[in-house]
């Protein structure tokens, strides 16, 4: 299928649920007011990419219920094409809750039998998959059902024009590490670009360094390894390392999706490895400043300045209160 000006640059495919979170970062059982929004790894990436000015679509299934309709409207209002989302009258929209606390955020999922879990290998026809430059999927989808597992395998093994980007996104609540480890490695090996946290790679595969991850995943063109608050690595024929800026973290869930979107935006713009990783860090930092999964982007002029600053200033950037500054200012 030939690409047209209306086709998305990126198609993100995967489950999204209604997200209930305390309006302020307090434990769920003590919260008095809540926010209701759309939460899903792939749609989060889509929303961030749309905010960065890219043509992006999201494909999934939702229930024919108020939560599904509200979610569709919210994602479409963020500038994402939802034309490939199917509404199912026979299955509900999933829901999950964030529970912030001093030891970190816990997440409670209510997704059994969700509309998204009914996706299978017949979900999308090939011509819709061949239009975008990038097809973004994650390791959450194959854990939802046997049909979803077959869908992901089909996406990764069919002859394709779009490059596939795969975020490992291991979720212990969905499947045990003994099952997930070999399966996620198998799927990651078939992708063109892979995102994985060093902590989850250690859990899944027993590795210790970003270089260990690259040795294990030698199939993709690029493996992007996120080492929490320390640094991010892009490993291909060479290794690019960019330290993470300092962030006054409010709540961490969703930051990985923001990072992936920033990095992919850099790829779509033809940026070099350093600027791709920096843009990932910038978006992740702003996600960390809120209990919401997506924060409004900072001023484009400020983003351009941070992307182009020298290494010393980059190392001294500190994000907090919605702004970035040099440490000590």
């Amino acid at each position: 299928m030939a690409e047209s000006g209306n086709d998305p640059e990126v198609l993100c495919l995967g489950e999204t649920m209604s997200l209930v979170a305390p309006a302020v970062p307090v434990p769920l059982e003590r919260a008095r007011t809540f926010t209701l929004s759309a939460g899903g790894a792939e749609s989060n990436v889509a929303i961030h990419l749309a905010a960065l000015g890219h043509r992006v679509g999201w494909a999934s299934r939702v229930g024919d219920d108020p939560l599904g309709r509200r979610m569709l409207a919210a994602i479409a209002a963020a500038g994402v094409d939802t034309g490939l989302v199917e509404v199912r009258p026979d299955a509900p929209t999933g829901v999950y809750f964030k529970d912030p606390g001093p030891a970190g955020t816990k997440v409670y999922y209510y997704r059994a039998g969700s509309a998204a879990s009914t996706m299978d290998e017949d979900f999308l026809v090939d011509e819709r998959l061949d239009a975008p430059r990038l097809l973004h999927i994650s390791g959450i989808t194959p854990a939802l059902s046997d049909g979803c597992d077959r869908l992901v395998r089909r996406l990764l093994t069919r002859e394709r024009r779009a490059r596939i980007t795969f975020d490992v996104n291991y979720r212990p609540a969905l499947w045990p590490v003994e099952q997930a480890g070999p399966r996620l490695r198998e799927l990651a090996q078939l992708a063109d670009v892979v995102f994985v946290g060093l902590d989850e790679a250690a859990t899944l595969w027993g590795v210790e360094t970003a270089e260990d991850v690259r040795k294990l995943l030698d199939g993709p063109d690029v493996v992007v390894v996120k080492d929490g608050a320390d640094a991010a690595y892009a490993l291909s024929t060479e290794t690019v390392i960019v330290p993470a800026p300092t962030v006054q973290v409010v709540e961490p869930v969703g930051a990985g999706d923001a990072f992936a979107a920033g990095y992919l935006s850099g790829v779509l713009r033809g940026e070099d490895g350093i600027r791709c990783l920096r843009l990932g860090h910038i978006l992740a930092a702003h996600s960390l400043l809120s209990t919401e999964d997506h924060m409004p982007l900072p001023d484009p002029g400020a983003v351009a300045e941070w992307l182009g600053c020298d290494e010393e200033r980059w190392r001294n950037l500190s994000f907090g209160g919605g702004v970035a500054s040099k440490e000590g200012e």
Side-chain angles (χ1 to χ4, degrees), residues 52-104:
L52 289 165
H54 297 286
R55 300 188 313 277
V56 57
W58 168 58
S60 189
R61 284 178 177 164
V62 301
D64 186 11
D65 50 40
L67 293 178
R69 289 189 290 273
R70 179 187 176 109
M71 192 163 64
L72 268 178
I75 294 173
V80 177
D81 184 347
T82 59
L84 294 181
V85 178
E86 296 180 0
V87 178
R88 295 290 296 259
D90 56 344
T93 303
V95 181
Y96 75 108
F97 294 78
K98 282 185 178 180
D99 184 17

Side-chain angles (χ1 to χ4, degrees), residues 66-228:
L67 293 178
R69 289 189 290 273
R70 179 187 176 109
M71 192 163 64
L72 268 178
I75 294 173
V80 177
D81 184 347
T82 59
L84 294 181
V85 178
E86 296 180 0
V87 178
R88 295 290 296 259
D90 56 344
T93 303
V95 181
Y96 75 108
F97 294 78
K98 282 185 178 180
D99 184 17
T105 296
K106 294 182 179 179
V107 181
Y108 296 89
Y109 297 100
Y110 300 86
R111 73 195 329 158
S114 71
S117 71
T118 70
M119 292 187 294
D120 59 23
E121 66 272 27
D122 297 323
F123 173 54
L124 282 183
V125 297
D126 283 357
E127 65 176 11
R128 308 307 294 268
L129 296 169
D130 287 331
R133 291 173 57 188
L134 299 177
L135 173 61
H136 182 72
I137 57 179
S138 86
I140 296 173
T141 304
L144 298 179
S145 67
D146 289 342
C148 285
D149 184 58
R150 295 194 302 272
L151 169 61
V152 172
R153 171 168 283 280
R154 173 196 162 217
L155 296 175
L156 286 164
T157 57
R158 64 183 287 275
E159 290 188 14
R160 61 189 188 246
R161 187 182 70 84
R163 299 180 73 205
I164 293 187
T165 62
F166 181 78
D167 194 335
V168 170
N169 250 328
Y170 172 52
R171 295 290 187 267
L174 288 175
W175 48 353
V177 68
E178 295 80 10
Q179 180 184 4
R183 183 67 175 134
L184 290 172
R185 181 188 177 192
E186 176 191 2
L187 296 174
Q189 283 282 67
L190 297 169
D192 299 293
V193 178
V194 171
F195 297 93
V196 64
L198 187 56
D199 55 348
E200 66 180 336
T203 298
L204 289 167
W205 306 312
V207 295
E208 296 183 356
T209 68
E211 290 74 17
D212 292 339
V213 178
R214 181 53 173 164
K215 290 177 182 176
L216 191 77
L217 301 179
D218 57 358
D221 296 331
V222 183
V223 176
V224 179
V225 179
K226 301 161 289 179
D227 189 8

Side-chain angles (χ1 to χ4, degrees), residues 10-49:
V10 184
L11 177 62
C12 301
L13 186 153
E15 180 189 41
T16 291
M17 296 183 288
S18 287
L19 164 61
V20 181
V24 295
V26 298
L28 194 61
E29 62 189 73
R30 286 173 31 209
R32 298 176 63 87
T33 57
F34 301 86
T35 61
L36 179 62
S37 59
E42 297 84 2
S43 62
N44 284 345
V45 172
I47 289 170
H48 288 301
L49 284 170

